[in-house]
Amino acid sequence: MEEYIIGIDLGGTSAKMAFVKPNGEIVSKWSIPSDTTEQGSNVTANIIQSIQTTMDEAKLELKNIKGIGMGTPGSVDHQAKTVIGAYNLNWRTLQPIGRLFNDAFNVPFYLENDANVAALGEQWQGAGDNDEHVVMLTLGTGVGGGVIIDGKILHGSNGAAGEVGHLAVAVESGIACTCGKIGCLEAVASATGIVNLVDYHIKTYEGDTILARLIEEKQDLSAKNIFEAAVKGDEFSLFIVDRFAYYLGLAASHLANTLNPSKIVLGGGVSQAGEFLRSKVEQYCIEYTFPPIRDKTEIVLAQLGNDAGIIGAARLVTVDQSTEEFID
Amino acid sequence: MEEYIIGIDLGGTSAKMAFVKPNGEIVSKWSIPSDTTEQGSNVTANIIQSIQTTMDEAKLELKNIKGIGMGTPGSVDHQAKTVIGAYNLNWRTLQPIGRLFNDAFNVPFYLENDANVAALGEQWQGAGDNDEHVVMLTLGTGVGGGVIIDGKILHGSNGAAGEVGHLAVAVESGIACTCGKIGCLEAVASATGIVNLVDYHIKTYEGDTILARLIEEKQDLSAKNIFEAAVKGDEFSLFIVDRFAYYLGLAASHLANTLNPSKIVLGGGVSQAGEFLRSKVEQYCIEYTFPPIRDKTEIVLAQLGNDAGIIGAARLVTVDQSTEEFID
């Protein structure tokens, strides 16, 4: 009998789901919209209903399901299997997700923070090559991330480890982060951060730049525009991308000096700038990493794209994160 | 029958040893000089001889010894139980320490890097209060450290995790570190680092300072002098101590944002500046740490002094670092 794992990657727009083989291969995947009305009270019920329907259609029974893993936004208690403060789902109060899944399915259920789950997916089946020590930086609207140590998610003393987006690497810039601090990585090295860098540096830039028109019509300025202008050789855009890469490389060096991972994975929408960005980040990371560590740390691009979440969620079922023990 | 652990803290000047109860209490301790002649080839044999003599004098037999743990300078392979490149012992070639101990004593033997062992000691019996997630920064001639996660030493992918002294927190200063990089924590926040800060800032300082005479006679400038002058209210010295605390606080925030430890311990000779320094470091750490983490992270002063090494070495016997399993 073939055994499957169900991986769930819940986000503010949709919940992605998949049947995944224990070796990480996706058998089939689907998604449903996240219903954020009524304080998001239908979100979990809709996911459960969708899984039941899909299992029926595929003629799968619970005995075919090894377990269910789920990544969610918000502040997760992975032991109690609850989440609170997932504002993009309107989840302001404690959500007893583990209890709801246990009531519906008599199989093991695991819940983790979505950024950690994506990091676990990339570590296991993506750019991490299943190495034991891997860190992921997800460059999107903000900067998320996750730290994998010995193949398991690092939680820290109150479940908040891996807040790599809030490493204070740009204190001297005075640029404010949405968290209230000054100089966070997220404030200078995300989709919004790169626009902050343009705003900050354009004041003292005296040359020409093809960004000028976009800067006047501010709504058009985006990470994509800026990277494209840099690739075309626009001097100011190249300078901005260099600053962006410097901050990422400096943050990567802090992670390397502290954790000695074999790989630091760059993911998220902004990482689509690809090798052009990766090589610059690597150069700065090398510059600031202790010699015995830097030769052993690669900066690599994420490989799983949007599938990192469902694959990482499935991994929760085969690497028990709570007891720190490998099951498979 | 009372069982003891033998803890060994090997340094370039001496090897400290102790009989330690499994609960961490030191029963008796002694030390012997480290013989660094002949490429340090007598160091391990002398330690083994000293343990045998001391056991005989105390009428202890091997059946009374639960195991032996040892911290050593240099680059340690904790699985092979070997060390290489401990230059203060003149150990340039691979030292098969585990084999020598196994030949002499038929009890479990564990070997780790000295900075990691001191961190483990403080985490277990000192300022760490046996919390699961603790980081230590040791401020001496350089800045060493160790990261304890789930009560165990973090090794990383090639045993070099916890190189906190080489976090690049002072890149803007251009101050060089002995490792060849620019702006390492060690280059600005150690006993030598604070003198580097004086050298760097005195050029542009126009006021009076009681350090002036010492600065002219450069050999007298020390961390102790500078902290004493600051405590007396000398404005320039206060500025230097503030910069020193800023860099330490910034480094501590990087560790907090990444690892979410409950405690960050300041140890080593320079930490004798005590609460005067601790409170300033804490203030900067709070300023740069992500809000959900900063309220849960304490900056604390080390409590075990020179005993951290022998106590941490003894702990190696009750928390197996290689299998990541708790024995006791």
Side-chain angles (χ1 to χ4, degrees):
Chain A
M1 184 188 67
E2 186 96 59
E3 258 198 331
Y4 299 110
I5 297 167
I6 297 174
I8 307 166
D9 179 18
L10 175 58
T13 309
S14 68
K16 300 182 192 71
M17 288 166 270
F19 293 114
V20 181
K21 288 189 186 173
N23 69 1
E25 190 189 324
I26 293 175
V27 179
S28 71
K29 57 181 176 176
W30 73 100
S31 72
I32 60 169
S34 296
D35 174 5
T36 57
T37 64
E38 299 175 52
Q39 288 86 53
S41 58
N42 301 313
V43 169
T44 306
N46 289 351
I47 292 171
I48 287 171
Q49 178 62 56
S50 175
I51 290 172
Q52 280 167 333
T53 305
T54 311
M55 281 177 63
D56 289 347
E57 286 168 4
K59 300 199 186 336
L60 284 169
E61 296 175 52
L62 278 182
K63 66 182 181 194
N64 303 114
I65 305 300
K66 193 177 173 70
I68 302 173
M70 178 169 167
T72 174
S75 183
V76 174
D77 183 331
H78 71 279
Q79 287 168 321
K81 301 174 187 177
T82 59
V83 62
I84 194 166
Y87 300 108
N88 53 353
L89 293 164
N90 286 322
W91 280 355
R92 285 177 172 76
T93 56
L94 194 77
Q95 304 291 317
I97 300 184
R99 186 172 58 71
L100 296 171
F101 270 84
N102 286 338
D103 289 350
F105 306 104
N106 185 29
V107 299
F109 176 79
Y110 303 91
L111 187 70
E112 289 280 355
N113 169 273
D114 53 358
N116 285 339
V117 163
L120 188 65
E122 281 290 343
Q123 175 269 335
W124 182 35
Q125 291 291 313
D129 282 340
N130 205 21
D131 284 2
E132 290 194 313
H133 300 270
V134 173
V135 182
M136 181 158 178
L137 292 166
T138 304
L139 315 176
T141 312
V143 175
V147 174
I148 308 299
I149 290 177
D150 291 322
K152 289 159 280 183
I153 293 168
L154 174 66
H155 292 106
S157 65
N158 61 313
E163 281 294 352
V164 293
H166 299 281
L167 288 167
V169 289
V171 171
E172 83 296 342
S173 73
I175 296 174
C177 183
T178 52
C179 80
K181 297 200 298 142
I182 297 296
C184 291
L185 180 65
E186 174 164 305
V188 292
S190 61
T192 49
I194 197 165
V195 178
N196 290 341
L197 284 179
V198 170
D199 288 347
Y200 179 78
H201 287 289
I202 196 76
K203 297 171 209 154
T204 52
Y205 184 72
E206 292 179 350
D208 276 341
T209 166
I210 58 177
L211 291 185
R213 192 182 54 77
L214 295 176
I215 290 161
E216 283 163 27
E217 305 163 8
K218 212 160 174 185
Q219 66 278 25
D220 285 321
L221 203 60
S222 70
K224 189 162 174 284
N225 295 148
I226 298 162
F227 275 102
E228 281 174 0
V231 170
K232 283 180 196 152
D234 181 70
E235 201 182 298
F236 179 70
S237 302
L238 277 167
F239 169 75
I240 293 297
V241 169
D242 181 74
R243 288 290 80 196
F244 184 93
Y246 162 79
Y247 291 123
L248 274 172
L250 183 59
S253 82
H254 295 337
L255 297 167
N257 285 320
T258 303
L259 301 166
N260 184 208
S262 57
K263 297 192 173 72
I264 297 176
V265 183
L266 302 181
V270 181
S271 73
Q272 286 167 17
E275 178 60 21
F276 181 69
L277 176 64
R278 191 208 65 80
S279 60
K280 291 177 202 288
V281 173
E282 185 175 66
Q283 173 203 322
Y284 283 115
C285 181
I286 287 171
E287 187 167 342
Y288 299 120
T289 302
F290 190 51
I293 294 175
R294 68 184 169 208
D295 304 332
K296 309 280 185 174
T297 308
E298 286 181 77
I299 306 286
V300 294
L301 294 168
Q303 296 175 351
L304 301 181
N306 287 333
D307 289 345
I310 43 180
I311 291 175
R315 182 59 165 166
L316 297 174
V317 176
T318 54
V319 183
D320 187 337
Q321 304 291 321
S322 55
T323 66
E324 318 278 322
E325 275 301 287
F326 280 83
I327 296 165
D328 267 6
Chain B
M1 183 187 68
E2 186 95 61
E3 258 197 331
Y4 299 110
I5 297 166
I6 297 174
I8 307 166
D9 179 18
L10 175 59
T13 308
S14 69
K16 300 182 192 71
M17 287 166 270
F19 293 113
V20 181
K21 288 188 185 174
N23 70 2
E25 190 189 325
I26 294 175
V27 178
S28 71
K29 57 181 177 177
W30 73 101
S31 72
I32 61 169
S34 296
D35 175 5
T36 57
T37 64
E38 299 175 52
Q39 288 85 52
S41 59
N42 301 313
V43 168
T44 306
N46 288 351
I47 291 171
I48 288 171
Q49 178 63 56
S50 175
I51 289 171
Q52 281 166 332
T53 306
T54 310
M55 281 177 63
D56 289 347
E57 286 168 5
K59 299 199 187 337
L60 285 170
E61 297 175 53
L62 278 181
K63 67 182 181 194
N64 304 114
I65 305 299
K66 191 178 175 70
I68 301 174
M70 179 168 167
T72 174
S75 183
V76 175
D77 183 330
H78 71 279
Q79 287 168 320
K81 301 174 186 177
T82 58
V83 61
I84 193 166
Y87 300 109
N88 53 353
L89 293 165
N90 286 320
W91 280 355
R92 285 176 173 75
T93 57
L94 194 78
Q95 304 291 317
I97 300 185
R99 185 171 59 70
L100 296 171
F101 270 83
N102 285 338
D103 289 351
F105 306 103
N106 184 28
V107 299
F109 176 80
Y110 302 91
L111 186 70
E112 289 279 356
N113 168 272
D114 52 358
N116 285 339
V117 163
L120 189 65
E122 281 290 343
Q123 176 266 336
W124 182 36
Q125 291 291 311
D129 282 340
N130 204 23
D131 284 1
E132 290 194 313
H133 300 271
V134 173
V135 182
M136 182 158 178
L137 292 166
T138 304
L139 315 176
T141 312
V143 175
V147 174
I148 308 299
I149 291 178
D150 290 323
K152 290 159 278 185
I153 293 167
L154 174 67
H155 292 106
S157 65
N158 61 311
E163 281 294 352
V164 293
H166 299 281
L167 288 167
V169 288
V171 170
E172 83 297 342
S173 73
I175 295 173
C177 182
T178 51
C179 79
K181 296 200 298 143
I182 298 296
C184 291
L185 181 65
E186 175 164 307
V188 292
S190 61
T192 49
I194 198 165
V195 177
N196 290 342
L197 284 179
V198 169
D199 288 348
Y200 179 79
H201 287 289
I202 195 76
K203 296 171 210 154
T204 52
Y205 184 72
E206 293 180 348
D208 275 341
T209 166
I210 58 178
L211 292 184
R213 192 182 53 77
L214 295 175
I215 289 161
E216 283 163 28
E217 305 163 7
K218 209 157 172 191
Q219 65 279 21
D220 285 322
L221 203 60
S222 70
K224 190 161 174 285
N225 295 149
I226 298 163
F227 275 102
E228 281 174 1
V231 170
K232 283 178 196 153
D234 181 69
E235 200 182 300
F236 179 70
S237 303
L238 276 167
F239 169 76
I240 292 297
V241 168
D242 181 74
R243 289 290 80 194
F244 184 92
Y246 162 79
Y247 291 123
L248 274 172
L250 183 59
S253 82
H254 295 337
L255 297 166
N257 285 320
T258 304
L259 301 166
N260 183 208
S262 57
K263 296 192 173 73
I264 297 176
V265 182
L266 302 180
V270 181
S271 73
Q272 285 167 18
E275 178 59 21
F276 181 68
L277 176 63
R278 190 207 65 80
S279 60
K280 291 177 201 289
V281 173
E282 184 174 65
Q283 174 203 321
Y284 282 114
C285 181
I286 287 171
E287 187 167 342
Y288 298 119
T289 301
F290 190 51
I293 294 175
R294 69 183 169 209
D295 304 330
K296 309 280 186 174
T297 309
E298 287 180 77
I299 306 287
V300 294
L301 294 168
Q303 295 176 351
L304 301 181
N306 287 332
D307 288 345
I310 44 179
I311 291 174
R315 182 59 166 165
L316 297 175
V317 176
T318 54
V319 183
D320 186 335
Q321 305 290 322
S322 56
T323 65
E324 319 278 320
E325 275 302 285
F326 280 84
I327 296 165
D328 266 7

